[in-house]
Amino acid sequence: RGVATLWDDSTRPTPAGVAGVLGRSRAELLNQLGSPRSTTELAARTGLTPGCVSQHLSALRAAGLVTSHRSGRLVLYARTALAEALLQVS
């Protein structure tokens, strides 16, 4: 039991320094992207609407913090190395 979340780092608290710069919602989305996730899954995990998540992901992708790739009918988002470094610093 519980092994599935053993390596899931999205349960760690969102770093306050990152939230101060990016905003609470975008920082939380980055935090939740410990493994690739869809817009719908991110919306369910964060309580944001799918449209709001999509807008934030677009901004994060434009900043080079998130990448996206298609997997069947889903578009999955993942953190970039830059986002990983940002989360480690704070």
Side-chain angles (χ1 to χ4, degrees):
R1 287 186 164 195
V3 174
T5 60
L6 183 62
W7 293 280
D8 184 7
D9 63 353
S10 63
T11 57
R12 69 180 177 190
T14 302
V18 174
V21 173
L22 296 178
R24 186 181 52 80
S25 296
R26 289 181 182 165
E28 179 60 24
L29 287 171
L30 273 185
N31 193 42
Q32 290 293 324
L33 287 171
S35 59
R37 302 191 195 286
S38 68
T39 302
T40 305
E41 187 176 357
L42 288 167
R45 287 173 154 265
T46 61
L48 300 170
T49 65
C52 183
V53 169
S54 180
Q55 288 179 345
H56 286 310
L57 289 172
S58 292
L60 291 169
R61 187 175 39 197
L65 297 173
V66 170
T67 61
S68 62
H69 69 277
R70 184 165 292 281
S71 176
R73 294 176 55 186
L74 295 175
V75 176
L76 298 176
Y77 295 87
R79 293 189 293 231
T80 63
L82 179 61
E84 292 288 346
L86 182 64
L87 291 172
Q88 293 300 319
V89 169
S90 53

Short mmCIF file of all heavy atoms in Angstrom, two decimals, residues 28-79:
data_model
loop_
_atom_site.label_atom_id
_atom_site.label_comp_id
_atom_site.label_asym_id
_atom_site.label_seq_id
_atom_site.Cartn_x
_atom_site.Cartn_y
_atom_site.Cartn_z
N GLU A 28 2.09 25.95 -7.93
CA GLU A 28 1.46 24.67 -7.58
C GLU A 28 1.39 23.75 -8.79
O GLU A 28 1.61 22.54 -8.67
CB GLU A 28 0.07 24.90 -7.00
CG GLU A 28 -0.66 23.63 -6.64
CD GLU A 28 0.06 22.77 -5.60
OE1 GLU A 28 0.87 23.29 -4.81
OE2 GLU A 28 -0.18 21.55 -5.58
N LEU A 29 1.11 24.29 -9.96
CA LEU A 29 1.09 23.47 -11.17
C LEU A 29 2.48 22.88 -11.42
O LEU A 29 2.60 21.69 -11.74
CB LEU A 29 0.61 24.28 -12.38
CG LEU A 29 -0.87 24.59 -12.39
CD1 LEU A 29 -1.20 25.57 -13.50
CD2 LEU A 29 -1.69 23.32 -12.54
N LEU A 30 3.52 23.69 -11.29
CA LEU A 30 4.89 23.16 -11.46
C LEU A 30 5.16 22.06 -10.46
O LEU A 30 5.76 21.04 -10.78
CB LEU A 30 5.92 24.28 -11.29
CG LEU A 30 6.28 25.11 -12.49
CD1 LEU A 30 7.39 26.08 -12.14
CD2 LEU A 30 6.66 24.27 -13.68
N ASN A 31 4.74 22.27 -9.24
CA ASN A 31 4.94 21.29 -8.19
C ASN A 31 4.23 19.97 -8.52
O ASN A 31 4.77 18.89 -8.27
CB ASN A 31 4.45 21.85 -6.86
CG ASN A 31 4.90 21.03 -5.68
OD1 ASN A 31 6.04 20.60 -5.62
ND2 ASN A 31 4.01 20.81 -4.75
N GLN A 32 3.05 20.04 -9.09
CA GLN A 32 2.27 18.86 -9.43
C GLN A 32 2.83 18.10 -10.63
O GLN A 32 2.44 16.97 -10.89
CB GLN A 32 0.81 19.24 -9.72
CG GLN A 32 0.04 19.68 -8.50
CD GLN A 32 -0.16 18.55 -7.52
OE1 GLN A 32 -0.34 17.40 -7.89
NE2 GLN A 32 -0.13 18.88 -6.24
N LEU A 33 3.73 18.72 -11.37
CA LEU A 33 4.27 18.09 -12.57
C LEU A 33 5.52 17.27 -12.29
O LEU A 33 6.44 17.21 -13.11
CB LEU A 33 4.54 19.15 -13.65
CG LEU A 33 3.29 19.71 -14.30
CD1 LEU A 33 3.64 20.90 -15.19
CD2 LEU A 33 2.57 18.64 -15.09
N GLY A 34 5.55 16.59 -11.17
CA GLY A 34 6.65 15.67 -10.87
C GLY A 34 6.68 14.52 -11.86
O GLY A 34 7.72 13.94 -12.14
N SER A 35 5.53 14.20 -12.41
CA SER A 35 5.42 13.24 -13.51
C SER A 35 4.45 13.87 -14.52
O SER A 35 3.64 14.71 -14.15
CB SER A 35 4.91 11.88 -13.02
OG SER A 35 3.65 12.02 -12.42
N PRO A 36 4.54 13.48 -15.79
CA PRO A 36 3.68 14.11 -16.81
C PRO A 36 2.20 13.95 -16.48
O PRO A 36 1.76 12.88 -16.04
CB PRO A 36 4.04 13.35 -18.09
CG PRO A 36 5.44 12.87 -17.85
CD PRO A 36 5.49 12.53 -16.39
N ARG A 37 1.45 15.02 -16.66
CA ARG A 37 0.03 15.02 -16.36
C ARG A 37 -0.73 15.83 -17.41
O ARG A 37 -0.20 16.74 -18.01
CB ARG A 37 -0.24 15.64 -14.99
CG ARG A 37 0.49 14.93 -13.87
CD ARG A 37 -0.02 15.38 -12.52
NE ARG A 37 0.85 15.00 -11.43
CZ ARG A 37 0.98 13.79 -10.94
NH1 ARG A 37 0.31 12.80 -11.47
NH2 ARG A 37 1.78 13.53 -9.94
N SER A 38 -2.00 15.51 -17.55
CA SER A 38 -2.87 16.21 -18.49
C SER A 38 -3.49 17.43 -17.80
O SER A 38 -3.47 17.55 -16.56
CB SER A 38 -3.98 15.29 -18.99
OG SER A 38 -4.86 15.00 -17.92
N THR A 39 -4.06 18.30 -18.60
CA THR A 39 -4.76 19.47 -18.07
C THR A 39 -5.89 19.05 -17.13
O THR A 39 -6.05 19.62 -16.05
CB THR A 39 -5.34 20.31 -19.23
OG1 THR A 39 -4.27 20.69 -20.10
CG2 THR A 39 -6.03 21.56 -18.74
N THR A 40 -6.64 18.04 -17.53
CA THR A 40 -7.76 17.57 -16.71
C THR A 40 -7.28 17.03 -15.37
O THR A 40 -7.87 17.32 -14.32
CB THR A 40 -8.54 16.47 -17.46
OG1 THR A 40 -8.94 16.99 -18.73
CG2 THR A 40 -9.75 16.01 -16.68
N GLU A 41 -6.21 16.28 -15.38
CA GLU A 41 -5.67 15.73 -14.13
C GLU A 41 -5.15 16.85 -13.23
O GLU A 41 -5.37 16.84 -12.02
CB GLU A 41 -4.57 14.72 -14.41
CG GLU A 41 -4.10 14.01 -13.18
CD GLU A 41 -3.05 12.94 -13.45
OE1 GLU A 41 -2.72 12.69 -14.62
OE2 GLU A 41 -2.58 12.35 -12.47
N LEU A 42 -4.47 17.83 -13.83
CA LEU A 42 -3.97 18.96 -13.05
C LEU A 42 -5.12 19.76 -12.44
O LEU A 42 -5.04 20.21 -11.30
CB LEU A 42 -3.09 19.86 -13.91
CG LEU A 42 -1.72 19.28 -14.25
CD1 LEU A 42 -1.07 20.10 -15.35
CD2 LEU A 42 -0.84 19.22 -13.02
N ALA A 43 -6.20 19.93 -13.20
CA ALA A 43 -7.37 20.65 -12.69
C ALA A 43 -7.95 19.92 -11.49
O ALA A 43 -8.29 20.55 -10.48
CB ALA A 43 -8.40 20.81 -13.80
N ALA A 44 -8.07 18.61 -11.57
CA ALA A 44 -8.61 17.82 -10.47
C ALA A 44 -7.71 17.89 -9.24
O ALA A 44 -8.19 17.96 -8.10
CB ALA A 44 -8.80 16.37 -10.90
N ARG A 45 -6.41 17.89 -9.44
CA ARG A 45 -5.47 17.90 -8.32
C ARG A 45 -5.38 19.27 -7.64
O ARG A 45 -5.08 19.35 -6.46
CB ARG A 45 -4.07 17.51 -8.80
CG ARG A 45 -3.94 16.04 -9.12
CD ARG A 45 -2.57 15.76 -9.74
NE ARG A 45 -2.19 14.40 -9.51
CZ ARG A 45 -1.43 13.98 -8.50
NH1 ARG A 45 -0.94 14.84 -7.65
NH2 ARG A 45 -1.15 12.71 -8.35
N THR A 46 -5.56 20.34 -8.41
CA THR A 46 -5.37 21.69 -7.86
C THR A 46 -6.66 22.41 -7.52
O THR A 46 -6.63 23.41 -6.81
CB THR A 46 -4.58 22.56 -8.85
OG1 THR A 46 -5.32 22.68 -10.06
CG2 THR A 46 -3.20 22.00 -9.11
N GLY A 47 -7.79 21.95 -8.05
CA GLY A 47 -9.04 22.64 -7.82
C GLY A 47 -9.29 23.80 -8.76
O GLY A 47 -10.27 24.52 -8.64
N LEU A 48 -8.39 24.02 -9.71
CA LEU A 48 -8.56 25.05 -10.73
C LEU A 48 -9.41 24.50 -11.86
O LEU A 48 -9.51 23.29 -12.04
CB LEU A 48 -7.20 25.49 -11.28
CG LEU A 48 -6.21 26.08 -10.28
CD1 LEU A 48 -4.83 26.23 -10.92
CD2 LEU A 48 -6.70 27.42 -9.77
N THR A 49 -10.01 25.38 -12.64
CA THR A 49 -10.77 24.92 -13.80
C THR A 49 -9.81 24.49 -14.90
O THR A 49 -8.67 24.99 -14.96
CB THR A 49 -11.68 26.03 -14.35
OG1 THR A 49 -10.86 27.09 -14.86
CG2 THR A 49 -12.63 26.55 -13.28
N PRO A 50 -10.21 23.59 -15.77
CA PRO A 50 -9.34 23.19 -16.88
C PRO A 50 -8.90 24.37 -17.75
O PRO A 50 -7.75 24.41 -18.19
CB PRO A 50 -10.19 22.20 -17.67
CG PRO A 50 -11.12 21.62 -16.66
CD PRO A 50 -11.43 22.76 -15.73
N GLY A 51 -9.78 25.33 -17.97
CA GLY A 51 -9.42 26.51 -18.75
C GLY A 51 -8.34 27.34 -18.09
O GLY A 51 -7.41 27.82 -18.73
N CYS A 52 -8.46 27.49 -16.77
CA CYS A 52 -7.45 28.23 -16.01
C CYS A 52 -6.11 27.50 -16.04
O CYS A 52 -5.06 28.12 -16.24
CB CYS A 52 -7.94 28.41 -14.57
SG CYS A 52 -6.87 29.38 -13.53
N VAL A 53 -6.14 26.19 -15.86
CA VAL A 53 -4.92 25.39 -15.92
C VAL A 53 -4.27 25.54 -17.29
O VAL A 53 -3.06 25.73 -17.40
CB VAL A 53 -5.22 23.90 -15.62
CG1 VAL A 53 -4.03 23.02 -15.95
CG2 VAL A 53 -5.62 23.73 -14.17
N SER A 54 -5.07 25.49 -18.34
CA SER A 54 -4.55 25.62 -19.69
C SER A 54 -3.86 26.97 -19.90
O SER A 54 -2.78 27.04 -20.50
CB SER A 54 -5.69 25.46 -20.70
OG SER A 54 -5.22 25.58 -22.01
N GLN A 55 -4.45 28.04 -19.40
CA GLN A 55 -3.83 29.36 -19.53
C GLN A 55 -2.50 29.43 -18.78
O GLN A 55 -1.51 29.96 -19.29
CB GLN A 55 -4.77 30.44 -19.00
CG GLN A 55 -5.95 30.70 -19.89
CD GLN A 55 -6.88 31.75 -19.33
OE1 GLN A 55 -6.80 32.11 -18.15
NE2 GLN A 55 -7.77 32.25 -20.17
N HIS A 56 -2.48 28.89 -17.57
CA HIS A 56 -1.24 28.90 -16.79
C HIS A 56 -0.16 28.04 -17.47
O HIS A 56 1.01 28.44 -17.52
CB HIS A 56 -1.49 28.38 -15.37
CG HIS A 56 -2.21 29.36 -14.49
ND1 HIS A 56 -1.82 30.67 -14.33
CD2 HIS A 56 -3.30 29.19 -13.70
CE1 HIS A 56 -2.63 31.27 -13.48
NE2 HIS A 56 -3.54 30.39 -13.09
N LEU A 57 -0.55 26.89 -17.99
CA LEU A 57 0.42 26.02 -18.67
C LEU A 57 0.98 26.70 -19.92
O LEU A 57 2.17 26.55 -20.23
CB LEU A 57 -0.21 24.68 -19.03
CG LEU A 57 -0.49 23.75 -17.84
CD1 LEU A 57 -1.29 22.55 -18.30
CD2 LEU A 57 0.80 23.32 -17.16
N SER A 58 0.16 27.45 -20.63
CA SER A 58 0.64 28.19 -21.81
C SER A 58 1.70 29.20 -21.41
O SER A 58 2.73 29.34 -22.08
CB SER A 58 -0.52 28.90 -22.51
OG SER A 58 -1.39 27.97 -23.08
N ALA A 59 1.47 29.91 -20.31
CA ALA A 59 2.45 30.88 -19.83
C ALA A 59 3.73 30.19 -19.36
O ALA A 59 4.84 30.66 -19.66
CB ALA A 59 1.84 31.71 -18.70
N LEU A 60 3.58 29.08 -18.67
CA LEU A 60 4.76 28.33 -18.20
C LEU A 60 5.55 27.75 -19.37
O LEU A 60 6.78 27.74 -19.35
CB LEU A 60 4.33 27.22 -17.23
CG LEU A 60 3.79 27.69 -15.88
CD1 LEU A 60 3.16 26.53 -15.12
CD2 LEU A 60 4.88 28.35 -15.06
N ARG A 61 4.84 27.32 -20.40
CA ARG A 61 5.52 26.79 -21.59
C ARG A 61 6.27 27.90 -22.32
O ARG A 61 7.40 27.73 -22.76
CB ARG A 61 4.52 26.11 -22.51
CG ARG A 61 5.20 25.40 -23.67
CD ARG A 61 4.25 24.62 -24.52
NE ARG A 61 3.00 25.35 -24.68
CZ ARG A 61 1.88 24.82 -25.08
NH1 ARG A 61 1.80 23.55 -25.37
NH2 ARG A 61 0.79 25.55 -25.20
N ALA A 62 5.67 29.08 -22.42
CA ALA A 62 6.31 30.23 -23.06
C ALA A 62 7.57 30.65 -22.30
O ALA A 62 8.53 31.14 -22.91
CB ALA A 62 5.33 31.39 -23.17
N ALA A 63 7.57 30.44 -21.00
CA ALA A 63 8.73 30.78 -20.17
C ALA A 63 9.79 29.69 -20.16
O ALA A 63 10.84 29.85 -19.55
CB ALA A 63 8.27 31.07 -18.74
N GLY A 64 9.51 28.57 -20.82
CA GLY A 64 10.48 27.48 -20.87
C GLY A 64 10.49 26.59 -19.64
O GLY A 64 11.44 25.87 -19.40
N LEU A 65 9.42 26.65 -18.83
CA LEU A 65 9.37 25.86 -17.61
C LEU A 65 8.60 24.55 -17.77
O LEU A 65 8.69 23.67 -16.91
CB LEU A 65 8.73 26.70 -16.48
CG LEU A 65 9.52 27.95 -16.09
CD1 LEU A 65 8.71 28.78 -15.10
CD2 LEU A 65 10.87 27.57 -15.51
N VAL A 66 7.84 24.43 -18.87
CA VAL A 66 7.00 23.26 -19.10
C VAL A 66 7.10 22.86 -20.56
O VAL A 66 7.21 23.71 -21.44
CB VAL A 66 5.52 23.60 -18.75
CG1 VAL A 66 4.58 22.51 -19.19
CG2 VAL A 66 5.36 23.84 -17.27
N THR A 67 7.10 21.56 -20.81
CA THR A 67 7.01 21.05 -22.18
C THR A 67 5.72 20.25 -22.30
O THR A 67 5.14 19.84 -21.30
CB THR A 67 8.20 20.13 -22.53
OG1 THR A 67 8.19 19.01 -21.64
CG2 THR A 67 9.52 20.87 -22.45
N SER A 68 5.30 20.05 -23.53
CA SER A 68 4.09 19.25 -23.75
C SER A 68 4.35 18.24 -24.86
O SER A 68 5.16 18.49 -25.75
CB SER A 68 2.91 20.14 -24.12
OG SER A 68 3.16 20.82 -25.32
N HIS A 69 3.67 17.11 -24.76
CA HIS A 69 3.73 16.12 -25.83
C HIS A 69 2.43 15.34 -25.86
O HIS A 69 1.75 15.20 -24.84
CB HIS A 69 4.94 15.19 -25.68
CG HIS A 69 4.85 14.25 -24.51
ND1 HIS A 69 5.19 14.62 -23.24
CD2 HIS A 69 4.43 12.97 -24.44
CE1 HIS A 69 4.99 13.60 -22.42
NE2 HIS A 69 4.52 12.59 -23.12
N ARG A 70 2.08 14.89 -27.03
CA ARG A 70 0.83 14.16 -27.21
C ARG A 70 1.06 12.67 -26.95
O ARG A 70 2.03 12.09 -27.39
CB ARG A 70 0.29 14.36 -28.62
CG ARG A 70 -1.06 13.70 -28.84
CD ARG A 70 -1.73 14.19 -30.09
NE ARG A 70 -2.16 15.57 -30.03
CZ ARG A 70 -3.25 16.02 -29.40
NH1 ARG A 70 -4.02 15.16 -28.77
NH2 ARG A 70 -3.58 17.28 -29.41
N SER A 71 0.12 12.08 -26.22
CA SER A 71 0.12 10.65 -25.96
C SER A 71 -1.29 10.15 -26.26
O SER A 71 -2.18 10.25 -25.40
CB SER A 71 0.51 10.37 -24.51
OG SER A 71 0.42 9.00 -24.23
N GLY A 72 -1.49 9.68 -27.48
CA GLY A 72 -2.84 9.28 -27.88
C GLY A 72 -3.72 10.51 -27.99
O GLY A 72 -3.40 11.46 -28.69
N ARG A 73 -4.80 10.52 -27.24
CA ARG A 73 -5.72 11.64 -27.26
C ARG A 73 -5.38 12.71 -26.22
O ARG A 73 -6.02 13.76 -26.17
CB ARG A 73 -7.14 11.14 -27.03
CG ARG A 73 -7.62 10.26 -28.16
CD ARG A 73 -8.98 9.68 -27.90
NE ARG A 73 -9.95 10.74 -27.61
CZ ARG A 73 -11.19 10.52 -27.23
NH1 ARG A 73 -11.63 9.28 -27.10
NH2 ARG A 73 -12.01 11.51 -26.98
N LEU A 74 -4.41 12.43 -25.37
CA LEU A 74 -4.05 13.35 -24.30
C LEU A 74 -2.82 14.17 -24.66
O LEU A 74 -1.93 13.70 -25.35
CB LEU A 74 -3.74 12.58 -23.01
CG LEU A 74 -4.87 11.82 -22.35
CD1 LEU A 74 -4.32 11.04 -21.17
CD2 LEU A 74 -5.95 12.77 -21.90
N VAL A 75 -2.78 15.38 -24.14
CA VAL A 75 -1.57 16.18 -24.17
C VAL A 75 -1.04 16.17 -22.74
O VAL A 75 -1.75 16.55 -21.81
CB VAL A 75 -1.83 17.62 -24.64
CG1 VAL A 75 -0.56 18.45 -24.56
CG2 VAL A 75 -2.38 17.63 -26.05
N LEU A 76 0.18 15.69 -22.58
CA LEU A 76 0.79 15.60 -21.25
C LEU A 76 1.83 16.70 -21.09
O LEU A 76 2.59 16.99 -22.01
CB LEU A 76 1.43 14.24 -21.05
CG LEU A 76 0.46 13.05 -21.10
CD1 LEU A 76 1.23 11.75 -20.98
CD2 LEU A 76 -0.60 13.16 -20.02
N TYR A 77 1.87 17.28 -19.92
CA TYR A 77 2.80 18.35 -19.61
C TYR A 77 3.82 17.85 -18.59
O TYR A 77 3.49 17.05 -17.72
CB TYR A 77 2.05 19.56 -19.04
CG TYR A 77 1.13 20.17 -20.05
CD1 TYR A 77 -0.17 19.71 -20.21
CD2 TYR A 77 1.57 21.19 -20.87
CE1 TYR A 77 -1.01 20.26 -21.16
CE2 TYR A 77 0.74 21.75 -21.83
CZ TYR A 77 -0.55 21.27 -21.97
OH TYR A 77 -1.37 21.81 -22.91
N ALA A 78 5.05 18.34 -18.71
CA ALA A 78 6.12 17.95 -17.79
C ALA A 78 7.01 19.15 -17.53
O ALA A 78 7.11 20.07 -18.36
CB ALA A 78 6.94 16.80 -18.38
N ARG A 79 7.67 19.14 -16.38
CA ARG A 79 8.63 20.21 -16.05
C ARG A 79 9.87 20.07 -16.90
O ARG A 79 10.29 18.96 -17.24
CB ARG A 79 9.06 20.10 -14.59
CG ARG A 79 7.98 20.38 -13.60
CD ARG A 79 8.50 20.48 -12.19
NE ARG A 79 9.02 19.25 -11.65
CZ ARG A 79 8.66 18.74 -10.48
NH1 ARG A 79 7.78 19.36 -9.73
NH2 ARG A 79 9.19 17.62 -10.06
#
